[in-house]
Amino acid sequence: MDLQAITGQLYIVNGEIQQATGETSSTAFVPGLLVQSAPSKVNRSRKGDFLFVHLTLSGAAEETAVLAQEIVTTTSQTFYQNSGSVTSALRQAISDANQKLLHLNLSTTERSKEGAISCAVLHNDELYIVQAGEALALLGHNFGVQRMPPNPPQKITPLGRSAGLNLSYEHQRLQNGDMLLLADPRIASLPTETLEPALVDQDLEDGLIALKTIVGQNTARLLLIEFTDDAEDRF
């Protein structure tokens, strides 16, 4: 059964919403977030693949917005040009993003920028996730929330620090109604069960409302995805 993705973004600074969208194909700009369906010119292995990216860079989001956009664009271009498996394409995409940031850090006297990235792909009814740095993703099922990675890695190499990365991988068979949240590492301290009101037995709109309450007066950039078999009936 093929599933479709409905996406929504929340950009919250000190409890105030800067931007919020809920669309089948998001074009809104939130620094470091990307929702991308397969473009017209794409490797045939990638046709039908839907890419989601959440990138966090050190420093204020408004100061690194242009750089974040360049990196997520590199990530998307590499992924959709790659002819390998979904996992290998994601691995290469993150590697290219890392090289771009690493090159910038080595060529400037300014303070180095480091980061974390979560890349997820919807392929029919399967979800592939590859993460680097202190990345955070949560998958809501009808029985609870699954944290990815499930435990903090023993060694974390931030994006942009070295040529070698410690990547984490996840592959899931999705069910209608599952929800995926890609989030900043800054909310990683929240207990997993705290996110259940936004991710379990919810639709996208109510999930976004719940996330606003959960974040409270804090700051976060959140990408919420609902996987459904009836997206056309929702709009």
Side-chain angles (χ1 to χ4, degrees):
M1 175 183 63
D2 289 354
L3 295 174
Q4 295 176 285
I6 307 173
T7 68
Q9 303 177 18
L10 280 178
Y11 184 18
I12 304 172
V13 177
N14 298 325
E16 296 294 327
I17 293 180
Q18 307 299 301
Q19 188 167 20
T21 66
E23 314 172 14
T24 54
S25 179
S26 176
T27 57
F29 180 74
V30 176
L33 305 190
L34 178 71
V35 175
Q36 177 71 63
S37 57
S40 56
K41 294 182 178 180
V42 62
N43 189 287
R44 64 181 183 179
S45 299
R46 302 278 74 83
K47 288 183 178 180
D49 287 349
F50 213 128
L51 175 67
F52 313 96
V53 180
H54 188 298
L55 170 71
T56 301
L57 293 177
S58 55
E62 60 273 14
E63 296 175 358
T64 59
V66 174
L67 175 59
Q69 181 64 25
E70 292 176 356
I71 293 175
V72 296
T73 297
T74 294
T75 303
S76 174
Q77 290 174 343
T78 298
F79 174 76
Y80 281 112
Q81 292 168 2
N82 193 287
S83 61
S85 67
V86 174
T87 299
S88 65
L90 284 174
R91 184 167 55 241
Q92 186 60 55
I94 290 178
S95 176
D96 283 5
N98 182 60
Q99 288 297 326
K100 186 177 185 69
L101 187 57
L102 181 61
H103 177 74
L104 174 68
N105 287 335
L106 294 175
S107 61
T108 182
T109 57
E110 297 181 4
R111 186 173 183 177
S112 294
K113 295 291 190 297
E114 298 179 347
I117 191 169
S118 290
C119 293
V121 170
L122 172 63
H123 178 84
N124 300 326
D125 65 344
E126 296 176 271
L127 180 68
Y128 296 82
I129 298 180
V130 181
Q131 298 167 282
E134 294 183 273
L136 175 65
L138 299 108
L139 183 61
H141 308 278
N142 58 9
F143 54 83
V145 176
Q146 180 180 358
R147 201 177 187 98
M148 296 172 287
N151 299 299
Q154 291 184 343
K155 181 180 180 181
I156 298 177
T157 304
L159 206 71
R161 178 177 291 182
S162 72
L165 288 173
N166 302 102
L167 302 177
S168 62
Y169 301 87
E170 189 68 42
H171 173 243
Q172 293 281 331
R173 184 76 67 173
L174 295 168
Q175 299 293 325
N176 181 43
D178 284 350
M179 303 276 283
L180 176 66
L181 176 65
L182 304 183
D184 301 86
R186 69 174 65 224
I187 74 164
S189 60
L190 293 176
T192 301
E193 56 269 22
T194 302
L195 280 300
E196 288 186 0
L199 299 175
V200 178
D201 290 330
Q202 287 283 21
D203 60 19
L204 181 77
E205 294 78 9
D206 290 339
L208 290 170
I209 293 171
L211 283 174
K212 174 63 173 66
T213 301
I214 292 167
V215 172
Q217 297 304 306
N218 297 311
T219 297
R221 294 166 307 115
L222 308 170
L223 177 55
L224 185 64
I225 304 114
E226 178 186 354
F227 301 105
T228 177
D229 59 6
D230 64 351
E232 293 183 358
D233 295 335
R234 297 275 299 278
F235 296 91

